[in-house]
Amino acid sequence: MDRIGDTTVPVPVEVSWIADAVGESLTFSFVEACAGQKLWVPAVRVETSNLARAWGAELAQCLSDRYGGEHYAVPMLKSWRIRKLALQGLSHNEIVVRVGVSRPQIHSVLYGIRAAVAARRQIVDERQLPLF
């Protein structure tokens, strides 16, 4: 869970089972790269599969345990991705390109955490003395 001040971005329930197995960082990277895609999940020889080569044996095994021998449609999770990317300091234009949403959608999603996002984007000049 990403935390800034009192702002948290919980992992959505749709992928929480993946995050429990491989961690939030890899789960986010996987969703960010594969959002909206339908992937074949092997049931056997998982550790030598294309999925394991691309994302690691642990993630491939996690998916295989639940969807082995079937296709898995990676959810889009746009709101989660918008919040995570904003809290990483990306601009709205960068988020528009990466998530594929409009600026009004970004504003709508970020409305509740705007103070935390603004704090993340501030550029600190170490040469400047603090005012307080």
mmCIF file of all heavy atoms in Angstrom, residues 47-98:
data_model
loop_
_atom_site.group_PDB
_atom_site.id
_atom_site.type_symbol
_atom_site.label_atom_id
_atom_site.label_comp_id
_atom_site.label_asym_id
_atom_site.label_seq_id
_atom_site.Cartn_x
_atom_site.Cartn_y
_atom_site.Cartn_z
ATOM 1 N N GLU A 47 7.061 -22.668 -14.907
ATOM 2 C CA GLU A 47 8.342 -21.977 -14.716
ATOM 3 C C GLU A 47 9.120 -21.762 -16.010
ATOM 4 O O GLU A 47 10.024 -20.928 -16.051
ATOM 5 C CB GLU A 47 9.210 -22.693 -13.679
ATOM 6 C CG GLU A 47 9.471 -24.152 -13.950
ATOM 7 C CD GLU A 47 8.302 -25.063 -13.576
ATOM 8 O OE1 GLU A 47 7.477 -24.702 -12.748
ATOM 9 O OE2 GLU A 47 8.244 -26.164 -14.166
ATOM 10 N N THR A 48 8.779 -22.478 -17.077
ATOM 11 C CA THR A 48 9.456 -22.282 -18.369
ATOM 12 C C THR A 48 8.567 -21.584 -19.386
ATOM 13 O O THR A 48 8.927 -21.479 -20.554
ATOM 14 C CB THR A 48 9.919 -23.632 -18.946
ATOM 15 O OG1 THR A 48 8.777 -24.470 -19.136
ATOM 16 C CG2 THR A 48 10.933 -24.298 -18.028
ATOM 17 N N SER A 49 7.423 -21.087 -18.952
ATOM 18 C CA SER A 49 6.463 -20.455 -19.858
ATOM 19 C C SER A 49 6.891 -19.039 -20.235
ATOM 20 O O SER A 49 7.767 -18.440 -19.604
ATOM 21 C CB SER A 49 5.091 -20.398 -19.186
ATOM 22 O OG SER A 49 5.132 -19.510 -18.082
ATOM 23 N N ASN A 50 6.275 -18.509 -21.273
ATOM 24 C CA ASN A 50 6.511 -17.122 -21.677
ATOM 25 C C ASN A 50 6.126 -16.160 -20.553
ATOM 26 O O ASN A 50 6.783 -15.149 -20.345
ATOM 27 C CB ASN A 50 5.722 -16.779 -22.939
ATOM 28 C CG ASN A 50 6.269 -17.466 -24.166
ATOM 29 O OD1 ASN A 50 7.441 -17.838 -24.206
ATOM 30 N ND2 ASN A 50 5.420 -17.655 -25.172
ATOM 31 N N LEU A 51 5.060 -16.491 -19.859
ATOM 32 C CA LEU A 51 4.610 -15.655 -18.743
ATOM 33 C C LEU A 51 5.680 -15.578 -17.656
ATOM 34 O O LEU A 51 5.976 -14.508 -17.132
ATOM 35 C CB LEU A 51 3.301 -16.217 -18.178
ATOM 36 C CG LEU A 51 2.564 -15.389 -17.140
ATOM 37 C CD1 LEU A 51 2.138 -14.045 -17.713
ATOM 38 C CD2 LEU A 51 1.349 -16.148 -16.632
ATOM 39 N N ALA A 52 6.293 -16.709 -17.342
ATOM 40 C CA ALA A 52 7.351 -16.734 -16.323
ATOM 41 C C ALA A 52 8.595 -15.997 -16.808
ATOM 42 O O ALA A 52 9.247 -15.305 -16.026
ATOM 43 C CB ALA A 52 7.703 -18.173 -15.961
ATOM 44 N N ARG A 53 8.924 -16.133 -18.082
ATOM 45 C CA ARG A 53 10.085 -15.412 -18.612
ATOM 46 C C ARG A 53 9.864 -13.905 -18.567
ATOM 47 O O ARG A 53 10.790 -13.146 -18.302
ATOM 48 C CB ARG A 53 10.386 -15.859 -20.042
ATOM 49 C CG ARG A 53 11.159 -17.177 -20.108
ATOM 50 C CD ARG A 53 11.718 -17.419 -21.498
ATOM 51 N NE ARG A 53 10.703 -17.745 -22.491
ATOM 52 C CZ ARG A 53 10.140 -18.943 -22.632
ATOM 53 N NH1 ARG A 53 10.497 -19.932 -21.850
ATOM 54 N NH2 ARG A 53 9.228 -19.147 -23.554
ATOM 55 N N ALA A 54 8.644 -13.476 -18.816
ATOM 56 C CA ALA A 54 8.355 -12.044 -18.837
ATOM 57 C C ALA A 54 8.177 -11.453 -17.438
ATOM 58 O O ALA A 54 8.644 -10.348 -17.177
ATOM 59 C CB ALA A 54 7.098 -11.776 -19.661
ATOM 60 N N TRP A 55 7.537 -12.197 -16.525
ATOM 61 C CA TRP A 55 7.151 -11.628 -15.234
ATOM 62 C C TRP A 55 7.684 -12.379 -14.031
ATOM 63 O O TRP A 55 7.401 -12.000 -12.896
ATOM 64 C CB TRP A 55 5.622 -11.522 -15.150
ATOM 65 C CG TRP A 55 5.142 -10.519 -16.132
ATOM 66 C CD1 TRP A 55 4.560 -10.753 -17.339
ATOM 67 C CD2 TRP A 55 5.261 -9.107 -16.011
ATOM 68 N NE1 TRP A 55 4.310 -9.566 -17.977
ATOM 69 C CE2 TRP A 55 4.729 -8.540 -17.174
ATOM 70 C CE3 TRP A 55 5.769 -8.257 -15.032
ATOM 71 C CZ2 TRP A 55 4.693 -7.174 -17.394
ATOM 72 C CZ3 TRP A 55 5.726 -6.887 -15.239
ATOM 73 C CH2 TRP A 55 5.191 -6.361 -16.409
ATOM 74 N N GLY A 56 8.422 -13.423 -14.252
ATOM 75 C CA GLY A 56 8.974 -14.182 -13.143
ATOM 76 C C GLY A 56 8.124 -15.392 -12.811
ATOM 77 O O GLY A 56 6.903 -15.389 -12.995
ATOM 78 N N ALA A 57 8.783 -16.416 -12.293
ATOM 79 C CA ALA A 57 8.101 -17.676 -11.999
ATOM 80 C C ALA A 57 7.066 -17.521 -10.896
ATOM 81 O O ALA A 57 6.019 -18.176 -10.920
ATOM 82 C CB ALA A 57 9.121 -18.747 -11.615
ATOM 83 N N GLU A 58 7.332 -16.631 -9.937
ATOM 84 C CA GLU A 58 6.412 -16.467 -8.805
ATOM 85 C C GLU A 58 5.055 -15.902 -9.270
ATOM 86 O O GLU A 58 3.996 -16.406 -8.892
ATOM 87 C CB GLU A 58 7.043 -15.545 -7.763
ATOM 88 C CG GLU A 58 6.341 -15.550 -6.431
ATOM 89 C CD GLU A 58 7.075 -14.709 -5.396
ATOM 90 O OE1 GLU A 58 7.963 -13.906 -5.757
ATOM 91 O OE2 GLU A 58 6.730 -14.856 -4.226
ATOM 92 N N LEU A 59 5.080 -14.884 -10.120
ATOM 93 C CA LEU A 59 3.836 -14.316 -10.639
ATOM 94 C C LEU A 59 3.138 -15.305 -11.557
ATOM 95 O O LEU A 59 1.917 -15.470 -11.490
ATOM 96 C CB LEU A 59 4.098 -13.008 -11.377
ATOM 97 C CG LEU A 59 2.822 -12.337 -11.868
ATOM 98 C CD1 LEU A 59 2.513 -11.102 -11.036
ATOM 99 C CD2 LEU A 59 2.956 -11.944 -13.308
ATOM 100 N N ALA A 60 3.903 -15.982 -12.394
ATOM 101 C CA ALA A 60 3.314 -16.973 -13.295
ATOM 102 C C ALA A 60 2.647 -18.096 -12.514
ATOM 103 O O ALA A 60 1.548 -18.539 -12.855
ATOM 104 C CB ALA A 60 4.391 -17.535 -14.230
ATOM 105 N N GLN A 61 3.286 -18.550 -11.439
ATOM 106 C CA GLN A 61 2.707 -19.615 -10.617
ATOM 107 C C GLN A 61 1.446 -19.137 -9.914
ATOM 108 O O GLN A 61 0.458 -19.868 -9.809
ATOM 109 C CB GLN A 61 3.725 -20.131 -9.589
ATOM 110 C CG GLN A 61 3.259 -21.362 -8.855
ATOM 111 C CD GLN A 61 2.991 -22.528 -9.797
ATOM 112 O OE1 GLN A 61 3.864 -22.935 -10.562
ATOM 113 N NE2 GLN A 61 1.782 -23.071 -9.761
ATOM 114 N N CYS A 62 1.451 -17.905 -9.441
ATOM 115 C CA CYS A 62 0.282 -17.320 -8.787
ATOM 116 C C CYS A 62 -0.914 -17.309 -9.738
ATOM 117 O O CYS A 62 -2.024 -17.709 -9.368
ATOM 118 C CB CYS A 62 0.610 -15.905 -8.312
ATOM 119 S SG CYS A 62 -0.768 -15.016 -7.610
ATOM 120 N N LEU A 63 -0.681 -16.854 -10.972
ATOM 121 C CA LEU A 63 -1.752 -16.846 -11.968
ATOM 122 C C LEU A 63 -2.175 -18.259 -12.342
ATOM 123 O O LEU A 63 -3.360 -18.543 -12.520
ATOM 124 C CB LEU A 63 -1.316 -16.076 -13.213
ATOM 125 C CG LEU A 63 -1.182 -14.565 -13.062
ATOM 126 C CD1 LEU A 63 -0.534 -13.955 -14.293
ATOM 127 C CD2 LEU A 63 -2.534 -13.928 -12.810
ATOM 128 N N SER A 64 -1.211 -19.162 -12.434
ATOM 129 C CA SER A 64 -1.513 -20.546 -12.796
ATOM 130 C C SER A 64 -2.348 -21.244 -11.729
ATOM 131 O O SER A 64 -3.224 -22.042 -12.053
ATOM 132 C CB SER A 64 -0.217 -21.317 -13.043
ATOM 133 O OG SER A 64 -0.503 -22.647 -13.413
ATOM 134 N N ASP A 65 -2.065 -20.925 -10.473
ATOM 135 C CA ASP A 65 -2.838 -21.537 -9.392
ATOM 136 C C ASP A 65 -4.318 -21.201 -9.494
ATOM 137 O O ASP A 65 -5.169 -21.985 -9.110
ATOM 138 C CB ASP A 65 -2.307 -21.087 -8.024
ATOM 139 C CG ASP A 65 -0.934 -21.648 -7.712
ATOM 140 O OD1 ASP A 65 -0.504 -22.610 -8.392
ATOM 141 O OD2 ASP A 65 -0.272 -21.112 -6.803
ATOM 142 N N ARG A 66 -4.620 -20.034 -10.022
ATOM 143 C CA ARG A 66 -6.018 -19.599 -10.110
ATOM 144 C C ARG A 66 -6.607 -19.780 -11.498
ATOM 145 O O ARG A 66 -7.788 -20.096 -11.634
ATOM 146 C CB ARG A 66 -6.124 -18.141 -9.698
ATOM 147 C CG ARG A 66 -7.561 -17.694 -9.515
ATOM 148 C CD ARG A 66 -7.660 -16.309 -8.953
ATOM 149 N NE ARG A 66 -7.539 -16.324 -7.513
ATOM 150 C CZ ARG A 66 -8.109 -15.447 -6.709
ATOM 151 N NH1 ARG A 66 -8.861 -14.499 -7.215
ATOM 152 N NH2 ARG A 66 -7.936 -15.511 -5.418
ATOM 153 N N TYR A 67 -5.810 -19.554 -12.546
ATOM 154 C CA TYR A 67 -6.332 -19.567 -13.910
ATOM 155 C C TYR A 67 -5.578 -20.508 -14.845
ATOM 156 O O TYR A 67 -5.636 -20.340 -16.060
ATOM 157 C CB TYR A 67 -6.280 -18.147 -14.511
ATOM 158 C CG TYR A 67 -7.211 -17.184 -13.835
ATOM 159 C CD1 TYR A 67 -6.741 -16.271 -12.896
ATOM 160 C CD2 TYR A 67 -8.569 -17.175 -14.134
ATOM 161 C CE1 TYR A 67 -7.587 -15.383 -12.270
ATOM 162 C CE2 TYR A 67 -9.426 -16.293 -13.517
ATOM 163 C CZ TYR A 67 -8.939 -15.403 -12.577
ATOM 164 O OH TYR A 67 -9.789 -14.528 -11.962
ATOM 165 N N GLY A 68 -4.864 -21.481 -14.315
ATOM 166 C CA GLY A 68 -4.084 -22.392 -15.144
ATOM 167 C C GLY A 68 -4.911 -23.066 -16.221
ATOM 168 O O GLY A 68 -5.979 -23.600 -15.957
ATOM 169 N N GLY A 69 -4.440 -23.015 -17.450
ATOM 170 C CA GLY A 69 -5.143 -23.622 -18.574
ATOM 171 C C GLY A 69 -6.239 -22.739 -19.148
ATOM 172 O O GLY A 69 -7.019 -23.190 -19.985
ATOM 173 N N GLU A 70 -6.300 -21.495 -18.725
ATOM 174 C CA GLU A 70 -7.326 -20.566 -19.199
ATOM 175 C C GLU A 70 -6.680 -19.225 -19.560
ATOM 176 O O GLU A 70 -5.505 -18.998 -19.293
ATOM 177 C CB GLU A 70 -8.360 -20.295 -18.099
ATOM 178 C CG GLU A 70 -9.078 -21.506 -17.581
ATOM 179 C CD GLU A 70 -9.992 -21.164 -16.406
ATOM 180 O OE1 GLU A 70 -10.354 -19.974 -16.254
ATOM 181 O OE2 GLU A 70 -10.331 -22.068 -15.651
ATOM 182 N N HIS A 71 -7.487 -18.354 -20.125
ATOM 183 C CA HIS A 71 -7.056 -16.986 -20.365
ATOM 184 C C HIS A 71 -7.370 -16.145 -19.131
ATOM 185 O O HIS A 71 -8.356 -16.372 -18.451
ATOM 186 C CB HIS A 71 -7.777 -16.377 -21.579
ATOM 187 C CG HIS A 71 -7.228 -16.851 -22.868
ATOM 188 N ND1 HIS A 71 -7.769 -17.904 -23.567
ATOM 189 C CD2 HIS A 71 -6.173 -16.411 -23.595
ATOM 190 C CE1 HIS A 71 -7.075 -18.101 -24.672
ATOM 191 N NE2 HIS A 71 -6.103 -17.212 -24.719
ATOM 192 N N TYR A 72 -6.513 -15.160 -18.857
ATOM 193 C CA TYR A 72 -6.745 -14.215 -17.771
ATOM 194 C C TYR A 72 -6.796 -12.820 -18.374
ATOM 195 O O TYR A 72 -5.855 -12.384 -19.043
ATOM 196 C CB TYR A 72 -5.625 -14.290 -16.721
ATOM 197 C CG TYR A 72 -5.710 -13.210 -15.662
ATOM 198 C CD1 TYR A 72 -6.791 -13.142 -14.799
ATOM 199 C CD2 TYR A 72 -4.711 -12.258 -15.546
ATOM 200 C CE1 TYR A 72 -6.885 -12.151 -13.840
ATOM 201 C CE2 TYR A 72 -4.777 -11.264 -14.582
ATOM 202 C CZ TYR A 72 -5.869 -11.217 -13.738
ATOM 203 O OH TYR A 72 -5.946 -10.222 -12.780
ATOM 204 N N ALA A 73 -7.903 -12.129 -18.178
ATOM 205 C CA ALA A 73 -8.049 -10.757 -18.658
ATOM 206 C C ALA A 73 -7.538 -9.823 -17.560
ATOM 207 O O ALA A 73 -8.127 -9.717 -16.490
ATOM 208 C CB ALA A 73 -9.508 -10.456 -18.978
ATOM 209 N N VAL A 74 -6.429 -9.168 -17.825
ATOM 210 C CA VAL A 74 -5.826 -8.258 -16.851
ATOM 211 C C VAL A 74 -6.727 -7.030 -16.735
ATOM 212 O O VAL A 74 -7.014 -6.381 -17.743
ATOM 213 C CB VAL A 74 -4.399 -7.843 -17.268
ATOM 214 C CG1 VAL A 74 -3.778 -6.939 -16.224
ATOM 215 C CG2 VAL A 74 -3.533 -9.077 -17.501
ATOM 216 N N PRO A 75 -7.185 -6.717 -15.520
ATOM 217 C CA PRO A 75 -8.105 -5.576 -15.375
ATOM 218 C C PRO A 75 -7.409 -4.245 -15.645
ATOM 219 O O PRO A 75 -6.195 -4.112 -15.439
ATOM 220 C CB PRO A 75 -8.569 -5.677 -13.914
ATOM 221 C CG PRO A 75 -7.531 -6.476 -13.217
ATOM 222 C CD PRO A 75 -6.921 -7.380 -14.246
ATOM 223 N N MET A 76 -8.177 -3.254 -16.066
ATOM 224 C CA MET A 76 -7.625 -1.933 -16.384
ATOM 225 C C MET A 76 -7.245 -1.157 -15.121
ATOM 226 O O MET A 76 -6.208 -0.517 -15.093
ATOM 227 C CB MET A 76 -8.628 -1.113 -17.199
ATOM 228 C CG MET A 76 -8.926 -1.713 -18.563
ATOM 229 S SD MET A 76 -7.544 -1.630 -19.688
ATOM 230 C CE MET A 76 -7.567 0.079 -20.126
ATOM 231 N N LEU A 77 -8.081 -1.161 -14.120
ATOM 232 C CA LEU A 77 -7.832 -0.510 -12.824
ATOM 233 C C LEU A 77 -7.320 0.916 -12.997
ATOM 234 O O LEU A 77 -6.311 1.315 -12.401
ATOM 235 C CB LEU A 77 -6.861 -1.344 -11.984
ATOM 236 C CG LEU A 77 -7.320 -2.777 -11.712
ATOM 237 C CD1 LEU A 77 -6.219 -3.564 -11.024
ATOM 238 C CD2 LEU A 77 -8.593 -2.787 -10.912
ATOM 239 N N LYS A 78 -8.021 1.704 -13.790
ATOM 240 C CA LYS A 78 -7.566 3.054 -14.130
ATOM 241 C C LYS A 78 -7.458 3.963 -12.906
ATOM 242 O O LYS A 78 -6.484 4.707 -12.777
ATOM 243 C CB LYS A 78 -8.487 3.674 -15.176
ATOM 244 C CG LYS A 78 -8.342 3.022 -16.534
ATOM 245 C CD LYS A 78 -9.245 3.668 -17.552
ATOM 246 C CE LYS A 78 -9.063 2.990 -18.904
ATOM 247 N NZ LYS A 78 -9.856 3.653 -19.937
ATOM 248 N N SER A 79 -8.422 3.923 -12.014
ATOM 249 C CA SER A 79 -8.381 4.805 -10.839
ATOM 250 C C SER A 79 -7.166 4.509 -9.976
ATOM 251 O O SER A 79 -6.489 5.429 -9.494
ATOM 252 C CB SER A 79 -9.654 4.657 -10.005
ATOM 253 O OG SER A 79 -10.749 5.159 -10.706
ATOM 254 N N TRP A 80 -6.889 3.235 -9.754
ATOM 255 C CA TRP A 80 -5.727 2.838 -8.950
ATOM 256 C C TRP A 80 -4.438 3.303 -9.616
ATOM 257 O O TRP A 80 -3.563 3.872 -8.968
ATOM 258 C CB TRP A 80 -5.728 1.326 -8.753
ATOM 259 C CG TRP A 80 -4.614 0.792 -7.918
ATOM 260 C CD1 TRP A 80 -4.271 1.177 -6.647
ATOM 261 C CD2 TRP A 80 -3.699 -0.243 -8.263
ATOM 262 N NE1 TRP A 80 -3.212 0.426 -6.196
ATOM 263 C CE2 TRP A 80 -2.842 -0.449 -7.172
ATOM 264 C CE3 TRP A 80 -3.531 -1.040 -9.404
ATOM 265 C CZ2 TRP A 80 -1.829 -1.413 -7.176
ATOM 266 C CZ3 TRP A 80 -2.532 -1.989 -9.400
ATOM 267 C CH2 TRP A 80 -1.680 -2.170 -8.297
ATOM 268 N N ARG A 81 -4.349 3.086 -10.913
ATOM 269 C CA ARG A 81 -3.146 3.481 -11.637
ATOM 270 C C ARG A 81 -2.965 4.995 -11.629
ATOM 271 O O ARG A 81 -1.847 5.494 -11.440
ATOM 272 C CB ARG A 81 -3.203 2.939 -13.070
ATOM 273 C CG ARG A 81 -3.098 1.418 -13.094
ATOM 274 C CD ARG A 81 -3.446 0.785 -14.429
ATOM 275 N NE ARG A 81 -2.774 1.388 -15.539
ATOM 276 C CZ ARG A 81 -3.302 1.456 -16.761
ATOM 277 N NH1 ARG A 81 -4.496 0.971 -17.012
ATOM 278 N NH2 ARG A 81 -2.629 2.012 -17.742
ATOM 279 N N ILE A 82 -4.059 5.748 -11.795
ATOM 280 C CA ILE A 82 -3.979 7.212 -11.760
ATOM 281 C C ILE A 82 -3.457 7.676 -10.412
ATOM 282 O O ILE A 82 -2.544 8.498 -10.327
ATOM 283 C CB ILE A 82 -5.360 7.849 -12.058
ATOM 284 C CG1 ILE A 82 -5.729 7.649 -13.518
ATOM 285 C CG2 ILE A 82 -5.363 9.329 -11.688
ATOM 286 C CD1 ILE A 82 -7.170 7.996 -13.851
ATOM 287 N N ARG A 83 -4.016 7.142 -9.333
ATOM 288 C CA ARG A 83 -3.583 7.559 -7.992
ATOM 289 C C ARG A 83 -2.116 7.221 -7.747
ATOM 290 O O ARG A 83 -1.355 8.034 -7.239
ATOM 291 C CB ARG A 83 -4.456 6.893 -6.929
ATOM 292 C CG ARG A 83 -5.834 7.473 -6.837
ATOM 293 C CD ARG A 83 -6.615 6.839 -5.701
ATOM 294 N NE ARG A 83 -7.935 7.396 -5.621
ATOM 295 C CZ ARG A 83 -9.027 6.777 -6.012
ATOM 296 N NH1 ARG A 83 -8.962 5.548 -6.516
ATOM 297 N NH2 ARG A 83 -10.203 7.359 -5.909
ATOM 298 N N LYS A 84 -1.727 5.999 -8.085
ATOM 299 C CA LYS A 84 -0.342 5.570 -7.873
ATOM 300 C C LYS A 84 0.632 6.437 -8.685
ATOM 301 O O LYS A 84 1.660 6.858 -8.162
ATOM 302 C CB LYS A 84 -0.166 4.099 -8.242
ATOM 303 C CG LYS A 84 -0.940 3.122 -7.399
ATOM 304 C CD LYS A 84 -0.239 2.776 -6.143
ATOM 305 C CE LYS A 84 0.963 1.919 -6.430
ATOM 306 N NZ LYS A 84 1.680 1.573 -5.222
ATOM 307 N N LEU A 85 0.305 6.689 -9.932
ATOM 308 C CA LEU A 85 1.193 7.480 -10.792
ATOM 309 C C LEU A 85 1.271 8.931 -10.318
ATOM 310 O O LEU A 85 2.342 9.538 -10.335
ATOM 311 C CB LEU A 85 0.734 7.409 -12.246
ATOM 312 C CG LEU A 85 0.874 6.025 -12.903
ATOM 313 C CD1 LEU A 85 0.175 6.003 -14.255
ATOM 314 C CD2 LEU A 85 2.324 5.614 -13.025
ATOM 315 N N ALA A 86 0.146 9.494 -9.877
ATOM 316 C CA ALA A 86 0.146 10.863 -9.367
ATOM 317 C C ALA A 86 0.992 10.965 -8.106
ATOM 318 O O ALA A 86 1.751 11.922 -7.935
ATOM 319 C CB ALA A 86 -1.283 11.323 -9.087
ATOM 320 N N LEU A 87 0.893 9.980 -7.240
ATOM 321 C CA LEU A 87 1.676 9.999 -6.010
ATOM 322 C C LEU A 87 3.155 9.713 -6.267
ATOM 323 O O LEU A 87 3.993 9.978 -5.417
ATOM 324 C CB LEU A 87 1.108 9.017 -4.987
ATOM 325 C CG LEU A 87 -0.255 9.423 -4.423
ATOM 326 C CD1 LEU A 87 -0.825 8.327 -3.537
ATOM 327 C CD2 LEU A 87 -0.156 10.730 -3.670
ATOM 328 N N GLN A 88 3.475 9.201 -7.453
ATOM 329 C CA GLN A 88 4.876 9.040 -7.844
ATOM 330 C C GLN A 88 5.425 10.330 -8.438
ATOM 331 O O GLN A 88 6.598 10.413 -8.782
ATOM 332 C CB GLN A 88 5.017 7.903 -8.865
ATOM 333 C CG GLN A 88 4.768 6.536 -8.281
ATOM 334 C CD GLN A 88 4.777 5.442 -9.343
ATOM 335 O OE1 GLN A 88 5.172 5.658 -10.496
ATOM 336 N NE2 GLN A 88 4.335 4.260 -8.972
ATOM 337 N N GLY A 89 4.556 11.338 -8.580
ATOM 338 C CA GLY A 89 4.990 12.638 -9.060
ATOM 339 C C GLY A 89 4.818 12.871 -10.549
ATOM 340 O O GLY A 89 5.287 13.874 -11.073
ATOM 341 N N LEU A 90 4.137 11.981 -11.261
ATOM 342 C CA LEU A 90 3.933 12.183 -12.692
ATOM 343 C C LEU A 90 2.940 13.320 -12.928
ATOM 344 O O LEU A 90 2.016 13.526 -12.145
ATOM 345 C CB LEU A 90 3.412 10.905 -13.351
ATOM 346 C CG LEU A 90 4.478 9.916 -13.822
ATOM 347 C CD1 LEU A 90 5.163 9.268 -12.646
ATOM 348 C CD2 LEU A 90 3.878 8.887 -14.722
ATOM 349 N N SER A 91 3.133 14.037 -14.015
ATOM 350 C CA SER A 91 2.223 15.127 -14.376
ATOM 351 C C SER A 91 0.935 14.545 -14.948
ATOM 352 O O SER A 91 0.881 13.374 -15.324
ATOM 353 C CB SER A 91 2.874 16.038 -15.419
ATOM 354 O OG SER A 91 2.941 15.369 -16.677
ATOM 355 N N HIS A 92 -0.076 15.402 -15.033
ATOM 356 C CA HIS A 92 -1.347 14.947 -15.604
ATOM 357 C C HIS A 92 -1.169 14.504 -17.046
ATOM 358 O O HIS A 92 -1.784 13.527 -17.475
ATOM 359 C CB HIS A 92 -2.395 16.046 -15.502
ATOM 360 C CG HIS A 92 -2.866 16.252 -14.094
ATOM 361 N ND1 HIS A 92 -3.951 17.011 -13.786
ATOM 362 C CD2 HIS A 92 -2.421 15.788 -12.906
ATOM 363 C CE1 HIS A 92 -4.147 17.017 -12.488
ATOM 364 N NE2 HIS A 92 -3.222 16.283 -11.934
ATOM 365 N N ASN A 93 -0.343 15.204 -17.807
ATOM 366 C CA ASN A 93 -0.115 14.820 -19.204
ATOM 367 C C ASN A 93 0.537 13.442 -19.299
ATOM 368 O O ASN A 93 0.200 12.645 -20.171
ATOM 369 C CB ASN A 93 0.744 15.858 -19.930
ATOM 370 C CG ASN A 93 -0.032 17.115 -20.247
ATOM 371 O OD1 ASN A 93 -1.260 17.096 -20.293
ATOM 372 N ND2 ASN A 93 0.675 18.211 -20.446
ATOM 373 N N GLU A 94 1.484 13.158 -18.417
ATOM 374 C CA GLU A 94 2.125 11.841 -18.418
ATOM 375 C C GLU A 94 1.120 10.745 -18.050
ATOM 376 O O GLU A 94 1.141 9.659 -18.627
ATOM 377 C CB GLU A 94 3.305 11.827 -17.441
ATOM 378 C CG GLU A 94 4.462 12.702 -17.886
ATOM 379 C CD GLU A 94 5.501 12.916 -16.796
ATOM 380 O OE1 GLU A 94 5.133 13.103 -15.619
ATOM 381 O OE2 GLU A 94 6.699 12.896 -17.150
ATOM 382 N N ILE A 95 0.243 11.045 -17.104
ATOM 383 C CA ILE A 95 -0.775 10.070 -16.693
ATOM 384 C C ILE A 95 -1.770 9.834 -17.819
ATOM 385 O O ILE A 95 -2.183 8.696 -18.065
ATOM 386 C CB ILE A 95 -1.477 10.522 -15.401
ATOM 387 C CG1 ILE A 95 -0.476 10.553 -14.248
ATOM 388 C CG2 ILE A 95 -2.648 9.603 -15.059
ATOM 389 C CD1 ILE A 95 -0.995 11.195 -12.977
ATOM 390 N N VAL A 96 -2.157 10.897 -18.535
ATOM 391 C CA VAL A 96 -3.074 10.760 -19.673
ATOM 392 C C VAL A 96 -2.514 9.754 -20.672
ATOM 393 O O VAL A 96 -3.219 8.857 -21.139
ATOM 394 C CB VAL A 96 -3.305 12.130 -20.362
ATOM 395 C CG1 VAL A 96 -3.910 11.961 -21.747
ATOM 396 C CG2 VAL A 96 -4.196 13.013 -19.506
ATOM 397 N N VAL A 97 -1.241 9.871 -20.975
ATOM 398 C CA VAL A 97 -0.609 8.993 -21.958
ATOM 399 C C VAL A 97 -0.520 7.561 -21.436
ATOM 400 O O VAL A 97 -0.827 6.607 -22.153
ATOM 401 C CB VAL A 97 0.800 9.520 -22.328
ATOM 402 C CG1 VAL A 97 1.564 8.523 -23.160
ATOM 403 C CG2 VAL A 97 0.675 10.844 -23.055
ATOM 404 N N ARG A 98 -0.115 7.382 -20.176
ATOM 405 C CA ARG A 98 0.107 6.038 -19.643
ATOM 406 C C ARG A 98 -1.175 5.279 -19.355
ATOM 407 O O ARG A 98 -1.241 4.071 -19.563
ATOM 408 C CB ARG A 98 0.966 6.093 -18.387
ATOM 409 C CG ARG A 98 2.420 6.378 -18.754
ATOM 410 C CD ARG A 98 3.364 6.354 -17.640
ATOM 411 N NE ARG A 98 3.468 5.119 -16.910
ATOM 412 C CZ ARG A 98 4.373 4.912 -15.967
ATOM 413 N NH1 ARG A 98 5.243 5.864 -15.669
ATOM 414 N NH2 ARG A 98 4.410 3.780 -15.318
#
